[in-house]
mmCIF file with all atom_site columns, all heavy atoms in Angstrom:
data_model
loop_
_atom_site.group_PDB
_atom_site.id
_atom_site.type_symbol
_atom_site.label_atom_id
_atom_site.label_alt_id
_atom_site.label_comp_id
_atom_site.label_asym_id
_atom_site.label_entity_id
_atom_site.label_seq_id
_atom_site.pdbx_PDB_ins_code
_atom_site.Cartn_x
_atom_site.Cartn_y
_atom_site.Cartn_z
_atom_site.occupancy
_atom_site.B_iso_or_equiv
_atom_site.pdbx_formal_charge
_atom_site.auth_seq_id
_atom_site.auth_comp_id
_atom_site.auth_asym_id
_atom_site.auth_atom_id
_atom_site.pdbx_PDB_model_num
ATOM   1   N  N   . GLY A 1 38  ? 173.955 170.458 -82.961 1.00 0.00 ? 79   GLY A N   1
ATOM   2   C  CA  . GLY A 1 38  ? 173.387 171.408 -83.868 1.00 0.00 ? 79   GLY A CA  1
ATOM   3   C  C   . GLY A 1 38  ? 171.938 171.527 -83.817 1.00 0.00 ? 79   GLY A C   1
ATOM   4   O  O   . GLY A 1 38  ? 171.251 170.625 -83.178 1.00 0.00 ? 79   GLY A O   1
ATOM   5   N  N   . ILE A 1 39  ? 171.360 172.613 -84.297 1.00 0.00 ? 80   ILE A N   1
ATOM   6   C  CA  . ILE A 1 39  ? 169.909 172.777 -84.365 1.00 0.00 ? 80   ILE A CA  1
ATOM   7   C  C   . ILE A 1 39  ? 169.536 172.766 -85.811 1.00 0.00 ? 80   ILE A C   1
ATOM   8   O  O   . ILE A 1 39  ? 169.951 173.611 -86.647 1.00 0.00 ? 80   ILE A O   1
ATOM   9   C  CB  . ILE A 1 39  ? 169.472 174.170 -83.799 1.00 0.00 ? 80   ILE A CB  1
ATOM   10  C  CG1 . ILE A 1 39  ? 169.964 174.305 -82.353 1.00 0.00 ? 80   ILE A CG1 1
ATOM   11  C  CG2 . ILE A 1 39  ? 167.928 174.301 -83.850 1.00 0.00 ? 80   ILE A CG2 1
ATOM   12  C  CD1 . ILE A 1 39  ? 169.771 175.713 -81.797 1.00 0.00 ? 80   ILE A CD1 1
ATOM   13  N  N   . CYS A 1 40  ? 168.811 171.720 -86.207 1.00 0.00 ? 81   CYS A N   1
ATOM   14  C  CA  . CYS A 1 40  ? 168.407 171.406 -87.604 1.00 0.00 ? 81   CYS A CA  1
ATOM   15  C  C   . CYS A 1 40  ? 166.952 171.923 -87.775 1.00 0.00 ? 81   CYS A C   1
ATOM   16  O  O   . CYS A 1 40  ? 166.147 172.009 -86.892 1.00 0.00 ? 81   CYS A O   1
ATOM   17  C  CB  . CYS A 1 40  ? 168.549 169.961 -87.819 1.00 0.00 ? 81   CYS A CB  1
ATOM   18  S  SG  . CYS A 1 40  ? 167.828 169.431 -89.456 1.00 0.00 ? 81   CYS A SG  1
ATOM   19  N  N   . HIS A 1 41  ? 166.622 172.205 -89.078 1.00 0.00 ? 82   HIS A N   1
ATOM   20  C  CA  . HIS A 1 41  ? 165.286 172.668 -89.329 1.00 0.00 ? 82   HIS A CA  1
ATOM   21  C  C   . HIS A 1 41  ? 164.241 171.644 -88.938 1.00 0.00 ? 82   HIS A C   1
ATOM   22  O  O   . HIS A 1 41  ? 163.126 171.989 -88.585 1.00 0.00 ? 82   HIS A O   1
ATOM   23  C  CB  . HIS A 1 41  ? 165.152 173.054 -90.841 1.00 0.00 ? 82   HIS A CB  1
ATOM   24  C  CG  . HIS A 1 41  ? 164.019 173.971 -91.073 1.00 0.00 ? 82   HIS A CG  1
ATOM   25  N  ND1 . HIS A 1 41  ? 164.213 175.221 -91.639 1.00 0.00 ? 82   HIS A ND1 1
ATOM   26  C  CD2 . HIS A 1 41  ? 162.709 173.862 -90.956 1.00 0.00 ? 82   HIS A CD2 1
ATOM   27  C  CE1 . HIS A 1 41  ? 163.103 175.809 -91.720 1.00 0.00 ? 82   HIS A CE1 1
ATOM   28  N  NE2 . HIS A 1 41  ? 162.118 174.982 -91.328 1.00 0.00 ? 82   HIS A NE2 1
ATOM   29  N  N   . THR A 1 42  ? 164.622 170.296 -88.882 1.00 0.00 ? 83   THR A N   1
ATOM   30  C  CA  . THR A 1 42  ? 163.707 169.350 -88.599 1.00 0.00 ? 83   THR A CA  1
ATOM   31  C  C   . THR A 1 42  ? 163.268 169.438 -87.072 1.00 0.00 ? 83   THR A C   1
ATOM   32  O  O   . THR A 1 42  ? 162.094 169.087 -86.767 1.00 0.00 ? 83   THR A O   1
ATOM   33  C  CB  . THR A 1 42  ? 164.284 167.900 -88.907 1.00 0.00 ? 83   THR A CB  1
ATOM   34  O  OG1 . THR A 1 42  ? 164.693 167.879 -90.204 1.00 0.00 ? 83   THR A OG1 1
ATOM   35  C  CG2 . THR A 1 42  ? 163.292 166.788 -88.596 1.00 0.00 ? 83   THR A CG2 1
ATOM   36  N  N   . ASP A 1 43  ? 164.223 169.945 -86.236 1.00 0.00 ? 84   ASP A N   1
ATOM   37  C  CA  . ASP A 1 43  ? 163.725 170.099 -84.818 1.00 0.00 ? 84   ASP A CA  1
ATOM   38  C  C   . ASP A 1 43  ? 162.673 171.202 -84.763 1.00 0.00 ? 84   ASP A C   1
ATOM   39  O  O   . ASP A 1 43  ? 161.710 171.001 -84.075 1.00 0.00 ? 84   ASP A O   1
ATOM   40  C  CB  . ASP A 1 43  ? 164.927 170.563 -83.998 1.00 0.00 ? 84   ASP A CB  1
ATOM   41  C  CG  . ASP A 1 43  ? 166.132 169.634 -83.957 1.00 0.00 ? 84   ASP A CG  1
ATOM   42  O  OD1 . ASP A 1 43  ? 165.822 168.425 -83.642 1.00 0.00 ? 84   ASP A OD1 1
ATOM   43  O  OD2 . ASP A 1 43  ? 167.302 169.942 -84.364 1.00 0.00 ? 84   ASP A OD2 1
ATOM   44  N  N   . HIS A 1 62  ? 168.878 166.097 -82.679 1.00 0.00 ? 103  HIS A N   1
ATOM   45  C  CA  . HIS A 1 62  ? 169.362 164.866 -83.315 1.00 0.00 ? 103  HIS A CA  1
ATOM   46  C  C   . HIS A 1 62  ? 170.636 164.968 -84.024 1.00 0.00 ? 103  HIS A C   1
ATOM   47  O  O   . HIS A 1 62  ? 171.035 164.110 -84.800 1.00 0.00 ? 103  HIS A O   1
ATOM   48  C  CB  . HIS A 1 62  ? 168.247 164.310 -84.236 1.00 0.00 ? 103  HIS A CB  1
ATOM   49  C  CG  . HIS A 1 62  ? 168.077 165.262 -85.418 1.00 0.00 ? 103  HIS A CG  1
ATOM   50  N  ND1 . HIS A 1 62  ? 167.193 166.458 -85.221 1.00 0.00 ? 103  HIS A ND1 1
ATOM   51  C  CD2 . HIS A 1 62  ? 168.456 165.358 -86.694 1.00 0.00 ? 103  HIS A CD2 1
ATOM   52  C  CE1 . HIS A 1 62  ? 167.178 167.103 -86.391 1.00 0.00 ? 103  HIS A CE1 1
ATOM   53  N  NE2 . HIS A 1 62  ? 167.935 166.451 -87.280 1.00 0.00 ? 103  HIS A NE2 1
ATOM   54  N  N   . GLU A 1 63  ? 171.388 166.096 -83.759 1.00 0.00 ? 104  GLU A N   1
ATOM   55  C  CA  . GLU A 1 63  ? 172.619 166.410 -84.600 1.00 0.00 ? 104  GLU A CA  1
ATOM   56  C  C   . GLU A 1 63  ? 173.737 166.560 -83.502 1.00 0.00 ? 104  GLU A C   1
ATOM   57  O  O   . GLU A 1 63  ? 174.176 167.702 -83.298 1.00 0.00 ? 104  GLU A O   1
ATOM   58  C  CB  . GLU A 1 63  ? 172.407 167.640 -85.358 1.00 0.00 ? 104  GLU A CB  1
ATOM   59  C  CG  . GLU A 1 63  ? 173.401 167.893 -86.461 1.00 0.00 ? 104  GLU A CG  1
ATOM   60  C  CD  . GLU A 1 63  ? 173.034 169.063 -87.340 1.00 0.00 ? 104  GLU A CD  1
ATOM   61  O  OE1 . GLU A 1 63  ? 173.164 170.235 -86.890 1.00 0.00 ? 104  GLU A OE1 1
ATOM   62  O  OE2 . GLU A 1 63  ? 172.542 168.871 -88.530 1.00 0.00 ? 104  GLU A OE2 1
ATOM   63  N  N   . TYR A 1 88  ? 170.195 158.979 -86.007 1.00 0.00 ? 129  TYR A N   1
ATOM   64  C  CA  . TYR A 1 88  ? 168.788 158.826 -86.057 1.00 0.00 ? 129  TYR A CA  1
ATOM   65  C  C   . TYR A 1 88  ? 168.377 157.820 -87.084 1.00 0.00 ? 129  TYR A C   1
ATOM   66  O  O   . TYR A 1 88  ? 167.326 157.293 -87.152 1.00 0.00 ? 129  TYR A O   1
ATOM   67  C  CB  . TYR A 1 88  ? 168.020 160.141 -86.308 1.00 0.00 ? 129  TYR A CB  1
ATOM   68  C  CG  . TYR A 1 88  ? 168.387 160.889 -87.577 1.00 0.00 ? 129  TYR A CG  1
ATOM   69  C  CD1 . TYR A 1 88  ? 167.774 160.553 -88.804 1.00 0.00 ? 129  TYR A CD1 1
ATOM   70  C  CD2 . TYR A 1 88  ? 169.320 161.873 -87.527 1.00 0.00 ? 129  TYR A CD2 1
ATOM   71  C  CE1 . TYR A 1 88  ? 168.072 161.282 -89.904 1.00 0.00 ? 129  TYR A CE1 1
ATOM   72  C  CE2 . TYR A 1 88  ? 169.647 162.583 -88.704 1.00 0.00 ? 129  TYR A CE2 1
ATOM   73  C  CZ  . TYR A 1 88  ? 169.042 162.205 -89.881 1.00 0.00 ? 129  TYR A CZ  1
ATOM   74  O  OH  . TYR A 1 88  ? 169.395 162.897 -91.050 1.00 0.00 ? 129  TYR A OH  1
ATOM   75  N  N   . TYR A 1 142 ? 163.471 161.725 -78.856 1.00 0.00 ? 183  TYR A N   1
ATOM   76  C  CA  . TYR A 1 142 ? 163.173 162.286 -80.171 1.00 0.00 ? 183  TYR A CA  1
ATOM   77  C  C   . TYR A 1 142 ? 164.164 161.744 -81.159 1.00 0.00 ? 183  TYR A C   1
ATOM   78  O  O   . TYR A 1 142 ? 165.378 161.826 -81.055 1.00 0.00 ? 183  TYR A O   1
ATOM   79  C  CB  . TYR A 1 142 ? 163.325 163.818 -80.184 1.00 0.00 ? 183  TYR A CB  1
ATOM   80  C  CG  . TYR A 1 142 ? 163.057 164.471 -81.502 1.00 0.00 ? 183  TYR A CG  1
ATOM   81  C  CD1 . TYR A 1 142 ? 161.887 164.361 -82.175 1.00 0.00 ? 183  TYR A CD1 1
ATOM   82  C  CD2 . TYR A 1 142 ? 164.132 165.173 -82.031 1.00 0.00 ? 183  TYR A CD2 1
ATOM   83  C  CE1 . TYR A 1 142 ? 161.726 164.993 -83.427 1.00 0.00 ? 183  TYR A CE1 1
ATOM   84  C  CE2 . TYR A 1 142 ? 163.970 165.854 -83.375 1.00 0.00 ? 183  TYR A CE2 1
ATOM   85  C  CZ  . TYR A 1 142 ? 162.769 165.764 -84.011 1.00 0.00 ? 183  TYR A CZ  1
ATOM   86  O  OH  . TYR A 1 142 ? 162.606 166.385 -85.155 1.00 0.00 ? 183  TYR A OH  1
ATOM   87  N  N   . MET A 1 143 ? 163.628 161.138 -82.230 1.00 0.00 ? 184  MET A N   1
ATOM   88  C  CA  . MET A 1 143 ? 164.400 160.494 -83.319 1.00 0.00 ? 184  MET A CA  1
ATOM   89  C  C   . MET A 1 143 ? 165.460 159.598 -82.715 1.00 0.00 ? 184  MET A C   1
ATOM   90  O  O   . MET A 1 143 ? 166.586 159.463 -83.339 1.00 0.00 ? 184  MET A O   1
ATOM   91  C  CB  . MET A 1 143 ? 165.065 161.648 -84.208 1.00 0.00 ? 184  MET A CB  1
ATOM   92  C  CG  . MET A 1 143 ? 164.022 162.436 -84.985 1.00 0.00 ? 184  MET A CG  1
ATOM   93  S  SD  . MET A 1 143 ? 164.701 163.797 -85.916 1.00 0.00 ? 184  MET A SD  1
ATOM   94  C  CE  . MET A 1 143 ? 165.698 163.004 -87.188 1.00 0.00 ? 184  MET A CE  1
ATOM   95  N  N   . GLY A 1 175 ? 176.237 164.683 -87.678 1.00 0.00 ? 216  GLY A N   1
ATOM   96  C  CA  . GLY A 1 175 ? 175.117 163.835 -87.230 1.00 0.00 ? 216  GLY A CA  1
ATOM   97  C  C   . GLY A 1 175 ? 173.813 164.041 -87.972 1.00 0.00 ? 216  GLY A C   1
ATOM   98  O  O   . GLY A 1 175 ? 172.974 163.223 -87.938 1.00 0.00 ? 216  GLY A O   1
ATOM   99  N  N   . CYS A 1 176 ? 173.730 165.140 -88.771 1.00 0.00 ? 217  CYS A N   1
ATOM   100 C  CA  . CYS A 1 176 ? 172.616 165.345 -89.712 1.00 0.00 ? 217  CYS A CA  1
ATOM   101 C  C   . CYS A 1 176 ? 173.066 166.117 -90.930 1.00 0.00 ? 217  CYS A C   1
ATOM   102 O  O   . CYS A 1 176 ? 173.241 165.524 -92.024 1.00 0.00 ? 217  CYS A O   1
ATOM   103 C  CB  . CYS A 1 176 ? 171.400 165.902 -89.025 1.00 0.00 ? 217  CYS A CB  1
ATOM   104 S  SG  . CYS A 1 176 ? 170.056 165.994 -90.204 1.00 0.00 ? 217  CYS A SG  1
ATOM   105 N  N   . GLY A 1 177 ? 173.095 167.399 -90.853 1.00 0.00 ? 218  GLY A N   1
ATOM   106 C  CA  . GLY A 1 177 ? 173.246 168.210 -92.025 1.00 0.00 ? 218  GLY A CA  1
ATOM   107 C  C   . GLY A 1 177 ? 174.357 167.945 -93.027 1.00 0.00 ? 218  GLY A C   1
ATOM   108 O  O   . GLY A 1 177 ? 174.059 167.880 -94.222 1.00 0.00 ? 218  GLY A O   1
ATOM   109 N  N   . THR A 1 180 ? 173.687 164.514 -94.588 1.00 0.00 ? 221  THR A N   1
ATOM   110 C  CA  . THR A 1 180 ? 172.423 164.472 -95.395 1.00 0.00 ? 221  THR A CA  1
ATOM   111 C  C   . THR A 1 180 ? 172.786 165.148 -96.775 1.00 0.00 ? 221  THR A C   1
ATOM   112 O  O   . THR A 1 180 ? 172.354 164.717 -97.808 1.00 0.00 ? 221  THR A O   1
ATOM   113 C  CB  . THR A 1 180 ? 171.328 165.260 -94.689 1.00 0.00 ? 221  THR A CB  1
ATOM   114 O  OG1 . THR A 1 180 ? 170.958 164.538 -93.474 1.00 0.00 ? 221  THR A OG1 1
ATOM   115 C  CG2 . THR A 1 180 ? 170.105 165.395 -95.523 1.00 0.00 ? 221  THR A CG2 1
ATOM   116 N  N   . ILE A 1 205 ? 171.295 172.380 -95.003 1.00 0.00 ? 246  ILE A N   1
ATOM   117 C  CA  . ILE A 1 205 ? 171.456 171.102 -95.878 1.00 0.00 ? 246  ILE A CA  1
ATOM   118 C  C   . ILE A 1 205 ? 171.853 171.480 -97.273 1.00 0.00 ? 246  ILE A C   1
ATOM   119 O  O   . ILE A 1 205 ? 172.830 170.863 -97.864 1.00 0.00 ? 246  ILE A O   1
ATOM   120 C  CB  . ILE A 1 205 ? 170.064 170.410 -95.949 1.00 0.00 ? 246  ILE A CB  1
ATOM   121 C  CG1 . ILE A 1 205 ? 169.456 170.198 -94.585 1.00 0.00 ? 246  ILE A CG1 1
ATOM   122 C  CG2 . ILE A 1 205 ? 170.154 169.098 -96.784 1.00 0.00 ? 246  ILE A CG2 1
ATOM   123 C  CD1 . ILE A 1 205 ? 170.255 169.312 -93.616 1.00 0.00 ? 246  ILE A CD1 1
ATOM   124 N  N   . VAL A 1 297 ? 161.662 168.032 -95.701 1.00 0.00 ? 338  VAL A N   1
ATOM   125 C  CA  . VAL A 1 297 ? 160.563 167.336 -94.968 1.00 0.00 ? 338  VAL A CA  1
ATOM   126 C  C   . VAL A 1 297 ? 159.300 168.218 -94.967 1.00 0.00 ? 338  VAL A C   1
ATOM   127 O  O   . VAL A 1 297 ? 159.386 169.404 -94.566 1.00 0.00 ? 338  VAL A O   1
ATOM   128 C  CB  . VAL A 1 297 ? 160.967 167.034 -93.496 1.00 0.00 ? 338  VAL A CB  1
ATOM   129 C  CG1 . VAL A 1 297 ? 159.744 166.493 -92.746 1.00 0.00 ? 338  VAL A CG1 1
ATOM   130 C  CG2 . VAL A 1 297 ? 162.129 166.018 -93.516 1.00 0.00 ? 338  VAL A CG2 1
ATOM   131 N  N   . PHE A 1 322 ? 168.924 160.940 -94.427 1.00 0.00 ? 363  PHE A N   1
ATOM   132 C  CA  . PHE A 1 322 ? 170.380 160.896 -93.945 1.00 0.00 ? 363  PHE A CA  1
ATOM   133 C  C   . PHE A 1 322 ? 171.364 160.728 -95.033 1.00 0.00 ? 363  PHE A C   1
ATOM   134 O  O   . PHE A 1 322 ? 172.357 160.028 -94.954 1.00 0.00 ? 363  PHE A O   1
ATOM   135 C  CB  . PHE A 1 322 ? 170.485 159.913 -92.883 1.00 0.00 ? 363  PHE A CB  1
ATOM   136 C  CG  . PHE A 1 322 ? 171.726 159.971 -91.957 1.00 0.00 ? 363  PHE A CG  1
ATOM   137 C  CD1 . PHE A 1 322 ? 172.116 161.256 -91.512 1.00 0.00 ? 363  PHE A CD1 1
ATOM   138 C  CD2 . PHE A 1 322 ? 172.431 158.863 -91.587 1.00 0.00 ? 363  PHE A CD2 1
ATOM   139 C  CE1 . PHE A 1 322 ? 173.347 161.364 -90.659 1.00 0.00 ? 363  PHE A CE1 1
ATOM   140 C  CE2 . PHE A 1 322 ? 173.621 159.005 -90.814 1.00 0.00 ? 363  PHE A CE2 1
ATOM   141 C  CZ  . PHE A 1 322 ? 174.024 160.290 -90.370 1.00 0.00 ? 363  PHE A CZ  1
ATOM   142 N  N   . ARG A 1 372 ? 174.137 177.245 -89.362 1.00 0.00 ? 413  ARG A N   1
ATOM   143 C  CA  . ARG A 1 372 ? 173.926 176.284 -88.310 1.00 0.00 ? 413  ARG A CA  1
ATOM   144 C  C   . ARG A 1 372 ? 174.337 176.947 -87.008 1.00 0.00 ? 413  ARG A C   1
ATOM   145 O  O   . ARG A 1 372 ? 175.342 177.667 -86.839 1.00 0.00 ? 413  ARG A O   1
ATOM   146 C  CB  . ARG A 1 372 ? 174.846 175.092 -88.375 1.00 0.00 ? 413  ARG A CB  1
ATOM   147 C  CG  . ARG A 1 372 ? 174.205 173.832 -88.965 1.00 0.00 ? 413  ARG A CG  1
ATOM   148 C  CD  . ARG A 1 372 ? 172.820 173.542 -88.398 1.00 0.00 ? 413  ARG A CD  1
ATOM   149 N  NE  . ARG A 1 372 ? 172.337 172.277 -88.788 1.00 0.00 ? 413  ARG A NE  1
ATOM   150 C  CZ  . ARG A 1 372 ? 171.348 172.075 -89.667 1.00 0.00 ? 413  ARG A CZ  1
ATOM   151 N  NH1 . ARG A 1 372 ? 170.666 173.127 -90.170 1.00 0.00 ? 413  ARG A NH1 1
ATOM   152 N  NH2 . ARG A 1 372 ? 170.888 170.837 -89.924 1.00 0.00 ? 413  ARG A NH2 1
HETATM 153 ZN ZN1 . ZN  B 2 .   ? 168.272 167.092 -89.190 1.00 0.00 ? 1167 ZN  B ZN1 1
#
Side-chain angles (χ1 to χ4, degrees):
I80 303 173
C81 172
H82 203 117
T83 306
D84 299 306
H103 60 281
E104 193 175 76
Y129 61 83
Y183 175 64
M184 291 174 72
C217 184
T221 296
I246 307 302
V338 172
F363 197 42
R413 259 319 186 249

